[in-house]
Amino acid sequence: MLTFEPLLVIIVFSTNLGTGMKRISLADFVSQNGQERSAAVFGVRQSAVSKALACKRDITVIIHADGQIFAEEIRPFPSKKNQCSST
């Protein structure tokens, strides 16, 4: 029987990739824009942004030169749900 170890993907990147993209942490993005505006940018409620910050989730905000803003989260696979208790 085959057994598999949990896999953790680590992506190494520069904050300025030279392609007109900038990567910053969610915490930095929120400190520059506030929770309300950040939530509006990502189409979530302010409480979701607050909880993500409280849980210290590994979320990176990607800002493209054309103004598009995306976010991605790095998580181990498989990942447990609700790793952070409700606050």
Coordinates of all heavy atoms in Angstrom, one line a residue:
M1 N 0.8 -1.2 0.0 CA 0.0 0.0 0.0 C 0.9 1.2 0.0 O 1.8 1.3 0.7 CB -0.9 0.0 1.2 CG -1.8 1.2 1.3 SD -2.8 1.1 2.8 CE -4.3 1.6 2.1
L2 N 0.6 2.2 -0.8 CA 1.3 3.4 -0.9 C 0.9 4.4 0.2 O -0.3 4.5 0.5 CB 1.1 4.1 -2.3 CG 1.6 3.3 -3.5 CD1 1.3 4.1 -4.7 CD2 3.1 3.2 -3.4
T3 N 1.8 5.1 0.7 CA 1.5 6.2 1.7 C 2.1 7.5 1.1 O 3.1 7.5 0.5 CB 2.0 5.9 3.1 OG1 3.4 5.8 3.0 CG2 1.4 4.6 3.7
F4 N 1.4 8.5 1.4 CA 1.8 9.9 0.9 C 2.0 10.8 2.1 O 1.2 10.8 3.0 CB 0.8 10.5 -0.1 CG 0.6 9.7 -1.3 CD1 -0.4 8.7 -1.4 CD2 1.5 9.8 -2.4 CE1 -0.5 8.0 -2.6 CE2 1.4 9.1 -3.5 CZ 0.4 8.2 -3.6
E5 N 3.1 11.6 2.0 CA 3.3 12.6 3.0 C 2.5 13.9 2.6 O 2.4 14.1 1.4 CB 4.8 12.9 3.1 CG 5.6 11.7 3.6 CD 5.3 11.4 5.1 OE1 5.1 12.3 5.9 OE2 5.2 10.2 5.4
P6 N 2.1 14.7 3.6 CA 1.5 15.9 3.2 C 2.4 16.8 2.4 O 3.6 16.8 2.6 CB 1.2 16.6 4.5 CG 1.1 15.5 5.5 CD 2.1 14.5 5.0
L7 N 1.9 17.5 1.4 CA 2.7 18.3 0.5 C 2.5 19.7 0.8 O 1.4 20.2 1.0 CB 2.3 18.0 -0.9 CG 3.0 18.9 -2.0 CD1 4.4 18.5 -2.1 CD2 2.3 18.6 -3.3
L8 N 3.6 20.5 0.9 CA 3.5 21.9 1.2 C 4.3 22.6 0.0 O 5.4 22.3 -0.2 CB 4.2 22.3 2.5 CG 4.2 23.8 2.8 CD1 2.8 24.4 2.8 CD2 5.0 24.1 4.1
V9 N 3.6 23.4 -0.8 CA 4.1 24.1 -1.9 C 4.6 25.4 -1.4 O 3.9 26.2 -0.9 CB 3.1 24.2 -3.0 CG1 3.7 25.0 -4.2 CG2 2.6 22.8 -3.5
I10 N 5.9 25.7 -1.7 CA 6.4 27.0 -1.4 C 6.8 27.7 -2.6 O 7.5 27.2 -3.5 CB 7.7 26.9 -0.5 CG1 7.3 26.2 0.8 CG2 8.3 28.2 -0.2 CD1 8.4 25.8 1.7
I11 N 6.3 29.0 -2.8 CA 6.6 29.8 -4.0 C 7.5 30.9 -3.5 O 7.1 31.7 -2.6 CB 5.3 30.3 -4.6 CG1 4.4 29.1 -5.0 CG2 5.6 31.2 -5.8 CD1 3.0 29.6 -5.5
V12 N 8.6 31.0 -4.2 CA 9.5 32.1 -3.9 C 9.4 33.2 -4.9 O 9.3 32.9 -6.1 CB 11.0 31.5 -3.9 CG1 12.0 32.7 -3.6 CG2 11.2 30.4 -2.9
F13 N 9.2 34.4 -4.4 CA 9.0 35.5 -5.4 C 9.6 36.8 -4.8 O 9.9 36.9 -3.7 CB 7.5 35.7 -5.7 CG 6.7 35.9 -4.4 CD1 6.6 37.1 -3.8 CD2 6.1 34.8 -3.8 CE1 5.9 37.3 -2.7 CE2 5.3 35.0 -2.7 CZ 5.2 36.2 -2.1
S14 N 9.8 37.7 -5.7 CA 10.3 39.0 -5.4 C 9.1 39.9 -5.3 O 8.0 39.7 -5.9 CB 11.2 39.5 -6.5 OG 11.4 40.9 -6.4
T15 N 9.2 41.0 -4.5 CA 8.0 41.9 -4.4 C 7.7 42.6 -5.6 O 6.6 43.0 -5.9 CB 8.2 42.9 -3.2 OG1 9.4 43.6 -3.4 CG2 8.3 42.2 -1.9
N16 N 8.8 42.8 -6.5 CA 8.5 43.5 -7.8 C 9.1 42.5 -8.8 O 10.3 42.4 -8.9 CB 9.2 44.9 -7.8 CG 8.8 45.6 -9.1 OD1 8.3 45.0 -10.0 ND2 9.1 46.9 -9.2
L17 N 8.3 41.9 -9.6 CA 8.7 40.9 -10.5 C 9.2 41.4 -11.9 O 9.6 40.6 -12.7 CB 7.5 39.9 -10.8 CG 7.0 39.3 -9.5 CD1 5.8 38.4 -9.8 CD2 8.1 38.4 -8.8
G18 N 9.2 42.7 -12.1 CA 9.7 43.3 -13.3 C 8.7 43.1 -14.5 O 9.0 43.6 -15.6
T19 N 7.6 42.5 -14.2 CA 6.6 42.4 -15.3 C 5.4 43.3 -15.0 O 4.3 43.1 -15.6 CB 6.1 40.9 -15.4 OG1 5.5 40.6 -14.1 CG2 7.2 39.9 -15.7
G20 N 5.6 44.3 -14.2 CA 4.5 45.2 -13.8 C 3.7 44.6 -12.8 O 2.6 45.1 -12.5
M21 N 4.1 43.6 -12.1 CA 3.3 43.0 -11.0 C 4.0 43.3 -9.7 O 5.2 43.4 -9.6 CB 3.2 41.5 -11.1 CG 2.3 41.0 -12.2 SD 2.2 39.2 -12.4 CE 2.8 38.5 -10.9
K22 N 3.2 43.5 -8.6 CA 3.7 43.7 -7.3 C 3.0 42.7 -6.4 O 1.8 42.6 -6.5 CB 3.5 45.1 -6.9 CG 4.1 45.4 -5.5 CD 3.9 46.9 -5.2 CE 4.4 47.2 -3.8 NZ 4.2 48.6 -3.4
R23 N 3.7 42.0 -5.5 CA 3.1 41.1 -4.5 C 3.3 41.7 -3.1 O 4.5 42.0 -2.8 CB 3.7 39.7 -4.6 CG 3.4 39.0 -5.9 CD 4.1 37.6 -5.9 NE 3.7 36.9 -7.1 CZ 2.8 35.8 -7.0 NH1 2.3 35.5 -5.8 NH2 2.5 35.2 -8.0
I24 N 2.3 41.8 -2.4 CA 2.4 42.2 -1.0 C 1.5 41.3 -0.1 O 0.5 40.7 -0.6 CB 2.0 43.7 -0.8 CG1 0.6 44.0 -1.2 CG2 3.0 44.6 -1.5 CD1 0.1 45.4 -0.9
S25 N 1.7 41.3 1.1 CA 0.9 40.5 2.0 C -0.5 41.2 2.2 O -0.6 42.4 2.0 CB 1.5 40.4 3.4 OG 1.5 41.6 4.1
L26 N -1.5 40.4 2.6 CA -2.8 40.9 2.8 C -2.7 42.0 3.9 O -3.4 43.0 3.8 CB -3.8 39.8 3.2 CG -5.2 40.3 3.5 CD1 -5.9 41.0 2.3 CD2 -6.1 39.2 4.0
A27 N -1.9 41.7 4.9 CA -1.8 42.7 6.0 C -1.3 44.0 5.6 O -1.8 45.1 6.0 CB -0.9 42.1 7.1
D28 N -0.3 44.0 4.7 CA 0.2 45.3 4.1 C -0.8 46.0 3.3 O -1.0 47.2 3.3 CB 1.5 45.0 3.3 CG 2.7 44.7 4.2 OD1 2.6 44.9 5.4 OD2 3.6 44.1 3.6
F29 N -1.6 45.2 2.4 CA -2.6 45.8 1.6 C -3.7 46.4 2.4 O -4.1 47.6 2.1 CB -3.2 44.7 0.7 CG -4.2 45.2 -0.3 CD1 -3.8 45.8 -1.5 CD2 -5.6 45.1 -0.1 CE1 -4.7 46.3 -2.4 CE2 -6.5 45.5 -1.0 CZ -6.0 46.2 -2.2
V30 N -4.1 45.8 3.5 CA -5.1 46.3 4.4 C -4.6 47.5 5.1 O -5.4 48.5 5.3 CB -5.6 45.2 5.4 CG1 -6.5 45.8 6.4 CG2 -6.4 44.1 4.6
S31 N -3.4 47.5 5.5 CA -2.8 48.7 6.2 C -2.8 49.9 5.3 O -3.0 51.0 5.8 CB -1.5 48.4 6.8 OG -0.5 48.3 5.8
Q32 N -2.7 49.7 4.0 CA -2.7 50.8 3.1 C -4.1 51.3 2.7 O -4.3 52.4 2.3 CB -1.9 50.4 1.8 CG -0.4 50.2 2.0 CD 0.2 49.5 0.8 OE1 -0.3 49.5 -0.3 NE2 1.4 49.1 1.0
N33 N -5.0 50.3 2.7 CA -6.4 50.6 2.1 C -7.5 50.5 3.1 O -8.6 50.9 2.8 CB -6.6 49.6 0.9 CG -5.6 49.9 -0.2 OD1 -5.7 50.8 -0.9 ND2 -4.7 48.9 -0.3
G34 N -7.3 49.9 4.3 CA -8.3 49.7 5.2 C -9.1 48.4 4.9 O -9.1 47.9 3.8
Q35 N -9.8 47.9 6.0 CA -10.5 46.6 5.8 C -11.7 46.8 4.9 O -12.0 45.9 4.1 CB -10.9 46.1 7.2 CG -9.8 45.6 8.0 CD -10.2 44.9 9.3 OE1 -11.4 44.6 9.5 NE2 -9.2 44.6 10.1
E36 N -12.5 47.9 5.0 CA -13.7 48.0 4.2 C -13.4 48.1 2.7 O -14.0 47.4 1.9 CB -14.4 49.3 4.6 CG -15.1 49.3 5.9 CD -16.4 48.5 5.9 OE1 -17.0 48.4 4.8 OE2 -16.8 48.0 7.0
R37 N -12.4 48.9 2.3 CA -12.0 49.0 0.9 C -11.4 47.7 0.4 O -11.7 47.2 -0.7 CB -11.1 50.1 0.7 CG -10.7 50.3 -0.8 CD -10.0 51.7 -1.0 NE -9.8 51.9 -2.4 CZ -8.8 51.4 -3.1 NH1 -7.8 50.8 -2.5 NH2 -8.7 51.7 -4.4
S38 N -10.6 47.0 1.2 CA -10.0 45.8 0.8 C -11.1 44.7 0.6 O -11.0 44.0 -0.4 CB -9.0 45.3 1.9 OG -8.0 46.2 2.1
A39 N -12.0 44.7 1.5 CA -13.1 43.7 1.3 C -13.9 44.0 0.0 O -14.2 43.1 -0.7 CB -14.1 43.8 2.5
A40 N -14.1 45.3 -0.3 CA -14.8 45.6 -1.5 C -14.1 45.2 -2.8 O -14.6 44.7 -3.7 CB -15.1 47.1 -1.6
V41 N -12.7 45.4 -2.7 CA -11.9 45.0 -3.8 C -12.0 43.5 -4.1 O -12.1 43.1 -5.3 CB -10.4 45.3 -3.6 CG1 -9.5 44.7 -4.5 CG2 -10.2 46.9 -3.6
F42 N -12.1 42.7 -3.1 CA -12.1 41.2 -3.3 C -13.5 40.6 -3.2 O -13.7 39.4 -3.4 CB -11.3 40.5 -2.2 CG -9.8 40.9 -2.3 CD1 -9.2 41.6 -1.2 CD2 -9.1 40.7 -3.4 CE1 -7.9 42.0 -1.3 CE2 -7.8 41.1 -3.5 CZ -7.2 41.7 -2.5
G43 N -14.5 41.5 -3.1 CA -15.9 41.0 -3.1 C -16.3 40.1 -1.9 O -17.1 39.2 -2.0
V44 N -15.7 40.5 -0.8 CA -16.1 39.8 0.5 C -16.5 40.8 1.5 O -16.4 42.0 1.3 CB -14.9 38.9 1.0 CG1 -14.5 37.9 0.0 CG2 -13.7 39.8 1.3
R45 N -17.0 40.4 2.6 CA -17.3 41.3 3.7 C -16.1 41.7 4.5 O -15.1 40.9 4.6 CB -18.4 40.6 4.6 CG -19.7 40.3 3.9 CD -20.6 39.7 4.9 NE -21.8 39.3 4.2 CZ -23.0 39.5 4.7 NH1 -23.2 40.0 5.9 NH2 -24.1 39.2 4.0
Q46 N -16.2 42.8 5.2 CA -15.1 43.3 6.1 C -14.8 42.2 7.1 O -13.6 42.1 7.5 CB -15.5 44.6 6.7 CG -14.5 45.2 7.7 CD -14.7 44.6 9.1 OE1 -15.9 44.3 9.5 NE2 -13.7 44.5 9.8
S47 N -15.8 41.5 7.6 CA -15.5 40.5 8.7 C -14.6 39.4 8.1 O -13.9 38.8 8.9 CB -16.8 40.0 9.2 OG -17.6 39.4 8.2
A48 N -14.7 39.1 6.8 CA -13.9 38.0 6.3 C -12.4 38.5 6.2 O -11.5 37.7 6.5 CB -14.4 37.6 4.9
V49 N -12.2 39.7 5.9 CA -10.9 40.3 5.9 C -10.3 40.3 7.3 O -9.2 39.9 7.6 CB -10.8 41.7 5.3 CG1 -9.5 42.3 5.4 CG2 -11.2 41.6 3.8
S50 N -11.1 40.7 8.2 CA -10.7 40.8 9.6 C -10.3 39.4 10.2 O -9.3 39.2 10.8 CB -11.9 41.3 10.5 OG -11.5 41.3 11.9
K51 N -11.1 38.4 9.9 CA -10.9 37.0 10.3 C -9.6 36.5 9.7 O -8.8 35.8 10.3 CB -12.0 36.1 10.1 CG -11.8 34.7 10.7 CD -13.1 33.9 10.7 CE -12.8 32.6 11.4 NZ -14.0 31.7 11.4
A52 N -9.4 36.7 8.4 CA -8.2 36.3 7.7 C -7.0 36.9 8.3 O -5.9 36.2 8.5 CB -8.3 36.7 6.2
L53 N -7.0 38.1 8.7 CA -5.9 38.8 9.4 C -5.7 38.2 10.8 O -4.6 37.9 11.2 CB -6.1 40.3 9.5 CG -6.1 41.0 8.2 CD1 -6.5 42.5 8.4 CD2 -4.7 41.0 7.5
A54 N -6.8 38.0 11.5 CA -6.7 37.4 12.9 C -6.1 36.0 12.9 O -5.4 35.6 13.8 CB -8.1 37.4 13.5
C55 N -6.5 35.2 11.8 CA -6.0 33.9 11.7 C -4.6 33.7 11.1 O -4.1 32.7 11.0 CB -7.0 33.0 10.9 SG -8.6 32.8 11.7
K56 N -4.1 34.9 10.7 CA -2.7 34.9 10.1 C -2.6 34.0 8.9 O -1.6 33.3 8.7 CB -1.7 34.7 11.1 CG -1.6 35.7 12.2 CD -0.5 35.5 13.2 CE -0.6 36.5 14.3 NZ 0.3 36.4 15.3
R57 N -3.7 34.1 8.0 CA -3.7 33.2 6.8 C -2.6 33.8 5.9 O -2.4 35.0 5.8 CB -5.0 33.2 6.2 CG -6.0 32.4 7.1 CD -7.4 32.6 6.7 NE -7.7 32.2 5.3 CZ -8.9 32.3 4.7 NH1 -9.9 32.8 5.3 NH2 -9.0 32.0 3.4
D58 N -2.0 32.9 5.1 CA -0.9 33.2 4.2 C -1.5 33.7 2.8 O -1.6 32.9 1.9 CB 0.0 32.0 4.0 CG 1.3 32.4 3.2 OD1 1.5 33.5 2.9 OD2 2.0 31.4 2.8
I59 N -2.0 34.9 2.8 CA -2.7 35.5 1.6 C -1.8 36.5 1.0 O -1.3 37.4 1.7 CB -4.0 36.0 2.0 CG1 -4.9 34.9 2.5 CG2 -4.7 36.7 0.8 CD1 -6.3 35.4 3.1
T60 N -1.5 36.4 -0.3 CA -0.7 37.4 -1.0 C -1.6 38.1 -2.0 O -2.4 37.5 -2.7 CB 0.4 36.7 -1.8 OG1 1.2 35.9 -0.8 CG2 1.3 37.6 -2.5
V61 N -1.5 39.4 -2.0 CA -2.2 40.3 -2.9 C -1.3 40.6 -4.1 O -0.1 41.0 -3.9 CB -2.6 41.6 -2.2 CG1 -3.4 42.5 -3.2 CG2 -3.6 41.3 -1.0
I62 N -1.8 40.4 -5.3 CA -1.0 40.6 -6.5 C -1.7 41.8 -7.2 O -2.8 41.8 -7.6 CB -1.1 39.4 -7.4 CG1 -0.6 38.2 -6.7 CG2 -0.3 39.6 -8.7 CD1 -1.0 36.9 -7.3
I63 N -0.9 42.8 -7.4 CA -1.3 44.1 -8.1 C -0.6 44.2 -9.4 O 0.6 44.3 -9.5 CB -1.0 45.3 -7.2 CG1 -1.6 45.1 -5.8 CG2 -1.5 46.6 -7.9 CD1 -1.1 46.1 -4.8
H64 N -1.4 44.1 -10.5 CA -0.9 44.2 -11.8 C -0.7 45.6 -12.3 O -1.4 46.5 -11.8 CB -1.8 43.5 -12.8 CG -1.8 42.0 -12.6 ND1 -0.9 41.2 -13.3 CD2 -2.5 41.2 -11.8 CE1 -1.1 39.9 -12.9 NE2 -2.1 39.9 -12.0
A65 N 0.2 45.9 -13.2 CA 0.4 47.2 -13.7 C -0.8 47.9 -14.3 O -1.0 49.1 -14.2 CB 1.5 47.2 -14.8
D66 N -1.7 47.1 -14.8 CA -3.0 47.6 -15.4 C -4.0 47.9 -14.4 O -5.2 48.3 -14.7 CB -3.5 46.7 -16.5 CG -3.9 45.3 -16.0 OD1 -3.9 45.1 -14.8 OD2 -4.4 44.5 -16.8
G67 N -3.7 47.7 -13.1 CA -4.7 48.0 -12.0 C -5.5 46.9 -11.5 O -6.2 47.0 -10.5
Q68 N -5.4 45.7 -12.2 CA -6.1 44.5 -11.7 C -5.5 44.1 -10.4 O -4.3 44.1 -10.2 CB -6.1 43.4 -12.7 CG -6.8 43.7 -13.9 CD -6.8 42.5 -14.9 OE1 -6.1 41.5 -14.6 NE2 -7.6 42.6 -15.9
I69 N -6.3 43.6 -9.4 CA -5.9 43.2 -8.1 C -6.5 41.8 -7.9 O -7.7 41.6 -8.0 CB -6.3 44.2 -7.0 CG1 -5.7 45.5 -7.3 CG2 -5.8 43.6 -5.6 CD1 -6.2 46.6 -6.3
F70 N -5.6 40.9 -7.5 CA -6.0 39.5 -7.2 C -5.4 39.1 -5.9 O -4.4 39.7 -5.4 CB -5.5 38.5 -8.3 CG -6.0 38.8 -9.6 CD1 -5.3 39.6 -10.5 CD2 -7.3 38.3 -10.0 CE1 -5.8 39.8 -11.8 CE2 -7.8 38.6 -11.3 CZ -7.1 39.3 -12.2
A71 N -5.9 38.1 -5.3 CA -5.3 37.5 -4.0 C -5.2 36.0 -4.2 O -6.1 35.4 -4.8 CB -6.1 37.9 -2.8
E72 N -4.2 35.4 -3.6 CA -4.0 34.0 -3.5 C -3.6 33.6 -2.2 O -3.0 34.3 -1.4 CB -3.1 33.5 -4.6 CG -1.6 34.0 -4.4 CD -0.7 33.5 -5.5 OE1 -1.2 33.1 -6.6 OE2 0.5 33.7 -5.3
E73 N -4.0 32.4 -1.8 CA -3.6 31.8 -0.5 C -2.8 30.6 -0.7 O -3.2 29.7 -1.5 CB -4.9 31.5 0.3 CG -4.6 31.0 1.7 CD -5.8 30.8 2.6 OE1 -6.9 30.8 2.0 OE2 -5.7 30.7 3.8
I74 N -1.7 30.5 0.0 CA -0.9 29.3 0.0 C -1.3 28.4 1.2 O -1.3 28.9 2.4 CB 0.6 29.6 0.1 CG1 1.0 30.7 -1.0 CG2 1.5 28.4 0.0 CD1 0.9 30.2 -2.4
R75 N -1.7 27.2 1.0 CA -2.1 26.3 2.0 C -1.5 24.9 1.8 O -1.3 24.5 0.6 CB -3.6 26.2 2.1 CG -4.3 27.4 2.4 CD -5.8 27.3 2.3 NE -6.3 26.3 3.2 CZ -7.5 26.2 3.6 NH1 -8.4 27.1 3.2 NH2 -7.9 25.3 4.4
P76 N -1.2 24.2 2.9 CA -0.8 22.8 2.7 C -1.9 21.9 2.1 O -3.1 22.3 2.3 CB -0.4 22.3 4.1 CG -0.7 23.4 5.0 CD -1.3 24.6 4.2
F77 N -1.5 20.9 1.4 CA -2.5 20.0 0.9 C -2.2 18.6 1.4 O -1.1 18.1 1.3 CB -2.5 19.9 -0.6 CG -3.5 19.0 -1.2 CD1 -4.8 19.3 -1.3 CD2 -3.1 17.7 -1.6 CE1 -5.7 18.4 -1.8 CE2 -4.0 16.8 -2.1 CZ -5.3 17.1 -2.2
P78 N -3.1 17.9 2.0 CA -4.5 18.3 2.3 C -4.4 19.3 3.5 O -3.5 19.3 4.3 CB -5.2 17.0 2.7 CG -4.1 16.1 3.2 CD -2.9 16.5 2.4
S79 N -5.5 20.1 3.5 CA -5.5 21.2 4.5 C -6.8 21.0 5.4 O -7.8 20.6 4.9 CB -5.6 22.5 3.8 OG -5.7 23.5 4.7
K80 N -6.6 21.3 6.7 CA -7.7 21.2 7.6 C -8.6 22.4 7.4 O -8.1 23.5 7.3 CB -7.3 21.1 9.0 CG -6.5 19.9 9.4 CD -6.1 19.9 10.8 CE -5.3 18.7 11.2 NZ -4.8 18.8 12.6
K81 N -9.9 22.3 7.5 CA -10.8 23.4 7.5 C -10.8 24.0 8.9 O -10.5 23.4 9.9 CB -12.2 23.0 7.1 CG -12.4 22.8 5.7 CD -13.9 22.7 5.4 CE -14.2 22.9 4.0 NZ -15.6 23.0 3.7
N82 N -11.1 25.3 8.9 CA -11.2 26.1 10.2 C -10.0 25.9 11.1 O -10.1 25.5 12.3 CB -12.5 25.6 10.9 CG -13.7 25.8 10.1 OD1 -13.8 26.8 9.4 ND2 -14.7 24.9 10.2
Q83 N -8.8 26.2 10.6 CA -7.6 26.1 11.4 C -7.6 27.2 12.5 O -6.9 27.1 13.4 CB -6.4 26.2 10.5 CG -6.2 25.0 9.6 CD -5.0 25.2 8.7 OE1 -4.5 26.3 8.5 NE2 -4.6 24.1 8.2
C84 N -8.4 28.2 12.3 CA -8.4 29.3 13.3 C -9.8 29.3 14.0 O -10.8 29.2 13.3 CB -8.2 30.7 12.6 SG -8.3 32.1 13.6
S85 N -9.8 29.4 15.3 CA -11.1 29.5 16.0 C -11.8 30.8 15.7 O -11.2 31.8 15.4 CB -10.9 29.3 17.5 OG -10.1 30.4 18.0
S86 N -13.1 30.8 15.8 CA -13.9 32.0 15.5 C -13.5 33.1 16.5 O -13.3 32.8 17.7 CB -15.4 31.7 15.6 OG -15.7 30.8 14.6
T87 N -13.5 34.3 16.0 CA -13.2 35.4 16.9 C -14.3 36.4 16.9 O -15.1 36.4 16.1 CB -11.9 36.2 16.4 OG1 -12.1 36.5 15.0 CG2 -10.7 35.3 16.6

